[in-house]
């Protein structure tokens, strides 16, 4: 995967994380804590994936700069 694709994947996963966080808040406010918990966990998973892609892109800049 090239650096630009890592950036795109990071952005996509951060977007998905934000959407799931909003869903978690909505379900929490509605009192549906099971669904809120599910969306919060899914958001955390997307955030972790986004961080991995962002780190991979950053490493490419270091590698290319050497």
């Amino acid at each position: 995967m090239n650096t630009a694709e890592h950036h795109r994947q990071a952005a996509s996963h951060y977007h998905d994380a934000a959407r799931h966080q909003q869903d978690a808040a909505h379900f929490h406010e509605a009192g549906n804590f099971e669904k809120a918990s599910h969306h919060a966990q899914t958001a955390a998973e997307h955030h972790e994936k986004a961080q991995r892609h962002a780190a991979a892109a950053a490493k490419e800049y270091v590698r290319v700069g050497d």
Side-chain angles (χ1 to χ4, degrees), residues 26-58:
H26 169 77
F27 284 116
H28 181 89
E29 288 170 342
N32 190 335
F33 302 120
E34 185 176 337
K35 282 191 177 183
S37 176
H38 168 75
H39 282 283
Q41 180 60 41
T42 303
E45 291 166 4
H46 279 289
H47 187 79
E48 289 172 5
K49 290 177 185 178
Q51 287 182 316
R52 284 196 299 271
H53 281 290

